[in-house]
Amino acid sequence: MRDADSFDDFYRSTSRRMLRYGYAVAGDYTEAQDLVQEAYARAWRQWGQMSVHPAPEAWLRLVVARLATDRWRRLHGWRAALVRSGPPEVVQPPGEDGVLLLDALRQLPAAQRQALALHYLVDLSVEEIAREMQVPVGTVKSWLSRGRVRLAALLPGVSAKELEANDVA
């Protein structure tokens, strides 16, 4: 059984030393905070056994060291993958039309926005959207129709007929 008071005492008496140790092991203060936090979380989950361990602080240091090693290995793997794949492609800023469309979509109710996105961006049929959203087909048709009308009103120079003409289903 876990005793919160004894864990709190253990934490108060060891946390500063553990953070200094984590910093020495990781070489980065923020990384050390993450490592130490994870180590204490693991200690809390096993506090029933840990509280009677002959050297709970040593166990905690071992956990911090192993977590640091695991993170270093993962980072090393990511770096190697980045070197192999080269730098990422340069992403162009969004165009004016994209910004206007996104702004208009944000003004729609969530259900209409989701239905439009599933229909036009994911290419799902009305029936597939109905299944995914767990609503009747008629509801999806209504959301799509109302969403197109509202988008046409929000987008300059676009009519609901144009949006409907671009319908893929």
Side-chain angles (χ1 to χ4, degrees):
M1 184 167 134
R2 292 188 282 197
D3 176 19
D5 290 334
S6 67
F7 182 81
D8 289 347
D9 291 341
F10 172 71
Y11 177 81
R12 277 195 228 56
S13 66
T14 61
S15 61
R16 296 184 123 213
R17 279 191 308 275
M18 202 55 56
L19 188 54
R20 284 192 302 264
Y21 176 73
Y23 182 47
V25 170
D28 177 78
Y29 189 72
T30 305
E31 184 75 17
Q33 289 175 318
D34 289 346
L35 296 172
V36 171
Q37 178 181 349
E38 176 61 25
Y40 276 110
R42 291 179 183 196
W44 170 247
R45 283 193 299 267
Q46 300 180 27
W47 189 243
Q49 297 168 337
M50 284 284 305
S51 61
V52 295
H53 190 279
E57 190 172 351
W59 180 90
L60 203 60
R61 282 192 302 272
L62 179 63
V63 171
V64 168
R66 287 181 176 169
L67 287 170
T69 301
D70 289 347
R71 286 191 181 194
W72 181 85
R73 285 180 183 148
R74 270 195 309 277
L75 284 175
H76 185 70
W78 277 107
R79 285 186 192 116
L82 285 173
V83 167
R84 283 192 306 272
S85 64
E89 291 182 28
V90 176
V91 177
Q92 298 299 319
E96 185 180 344
D97 290 345
V99 172
L100 290 173
L101 177 60
L102 188 58
D103 184 51
L105 284 169
R106 286 182 177 150
Q107 296 180 50
L108 297 179
Q112 289 176 14
R113 187 172 54 242
Q114 185 178 2
L116 287 166
L118 289 170
H119 190 63
Y120 291 104
L121 301 177
V122 185
D123 293 328
L124 294 184
S125 69
V126 172
E127 292 77 16
E128 292 169 326
I129 296 169
R131 252 191 323 276
E132 184 167 319
M133 296 180 75
Q134 298 178 348
V135 296
V137 169
T139 302
V140 174
K141 289 179 179 179
S142 172
W143 285 341
L144 289 172
S145 176
R146 290 178 184 179
R148 285 190 289 262
V149 168
R150 182 77 174 120
L151 276 180
L154 293 169
L155 294 172
V158 176
S159 71
K161 293 284 184 205
E162 288 175 299
L163 291 173
E164 209 168 321
N166 290 325
D167 201 339
V168 292

